C-alpha cells in the first residue's frame, strides 16, 4: 500500500526550523548553551550572545537572524525594552522570550513578542519556533494586488 501522505506533511511542517538562524540571548552561560543545544536539535543554526546590547549591535550590523530567543531578566536591558528596540530595528523579526514571571508574559505579548513560561518542553519550543518562523515568512511576503 502507498504510504499515507498525511504523515509526510506533518513531518515537513517542522522543516521550517531547518537552517533557521536563531540568536540566543542569555546572560547565564549554562542557560544559553542549554537553549542553543536544544535549538540545534531542531536543525537551527545558533549564535549565542550574553547581553541584549550585544544582540542589538549584531542586528544593527545586519546579522542574518531569523529569530531571537531571549531571556527576559538581563543585567543591561530588560526583555521588554529589548523587544521594543528589536521591533524598531527589524519589524517582523520573530522574538521568543522565556521567563518565569507571569507579569512579563503579558507585557511582552503586547509588544508582539512571544513569551514562554519556564520550564518549557522541547516539543512546545519547537512548535512555537516553527509557528513564529512561518508567521514571519508570511509577514515578509509581498502582498499581492495591494499597493
Amino acid at each position: 500500500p502507498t504510504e499515507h501522505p498525511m504523515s509526510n506533511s506533518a513531518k515537513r511542517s517542522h522543516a521550517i526550523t531547518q537552517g533557521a538562524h536563531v540568536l540566543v540571548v542569555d546572560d547565564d552561560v549554562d542557560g544559553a548553551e542549554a537553549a542553543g543545544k536544544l535549538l540545534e536539535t531542531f536543525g537551527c543554526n545558533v549564535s549565542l550572545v550574553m547581553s541584549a546590547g550585544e544582540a542589538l549591535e549584531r542586528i544593527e550590523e545586519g546579522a542574518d537572524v531569523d529569530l531571537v530567543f531571549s531571556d527576559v531578566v538581563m543585567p543591561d536591558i530588560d526583555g521588554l525594552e529589548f523587544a521594543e528596540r528589536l521591533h524598531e530595528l527589524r519589524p517582523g523579526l520573530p522574538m521568543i522570550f522565556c521567563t518565569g514571571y507571569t507579569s512579563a508574559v503579558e507585557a511582552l505579548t503586547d509588544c508582539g513578542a512571544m513569551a514562554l513560561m519556564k520550564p518549557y518542553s522541547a516539543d512546545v519550543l519547537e512548535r512555537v519556533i516553527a509557528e513564529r518562523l512561518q508567521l514571519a515568512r508570511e509577514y515578509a511576503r509581498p502582498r499581492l494586488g495591494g499597493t
Side-chain angles (χ1 to χ4, degrees):
T2 54
E3 197 189 322
H4 200 279
M6 187 57 214
S7 59
N8 271 344
S9 58
K11 279 198 189 76
R12 231 188 348 262
S13 66
H14 286 303
I16 194 163
T17 57
Q18 291 290 332
H21 287 254
V22 180
L23 187 61
V24 174
V25 190
D26 197 331
D27 59 302
D28 167 24
V29 180
D30 294 338
E33 286 186 348
K37 285 201 177 80
L38 189 56
L39 290 161
E40 282 171 355
T41 65
F42 310 150
C44 300
N45 295 326
V46 180
S47 306
L48 301 179
V49 290
M50 295 285 111
S51 71
E54 200 183 331
L56 289 165
E57 273 171 31
R58 287 210 185 183
I59 285 166
E60 270 176 312
E61 287 161 7
D64 176 21
V65 175
D66 296 315
L67 182 134
V68 173
F69 182 74
S70 177
D71 195 21
V72 171
V73 182
M74 288 182 285
D76 56 340
I77 304 173
D78 73 2
L80 199 56
E81 188 187 331
F82 180 45
E84 286 168 355
R85 286 171 63 175
L86 269 179
H87 185 68
E88 283 165 19
L89 279 174
R90 277 194 51 191
L93 177 66
M95 298 177 272
I96 298 174
F97 287 85
C98 50
T99 178
Y101 303 98
T102 330
S103 55
V105 171
E106 290 165 16
L108 284 163
T109 313
D110 290 343
C111 244
M114 168 88 201
L116 268 186
M117 285 298 288
K118 287 178 183 172
Y120 50 83
S121 71
D123 291 348
V124 167
L125 181 61
E126 185 175 17
R127 192 174 70 237
V128 167
I129 287 179
E131 279 169 10
R132 291 275 127 180
L133 289 169
Q134 187 66 50
L135 284 170
R137 288 191 185 179
E138 286 165 15
Y139 176 92
R141 254 185 227 136
R143 301 273 174 261
L144 294 174
T147 45

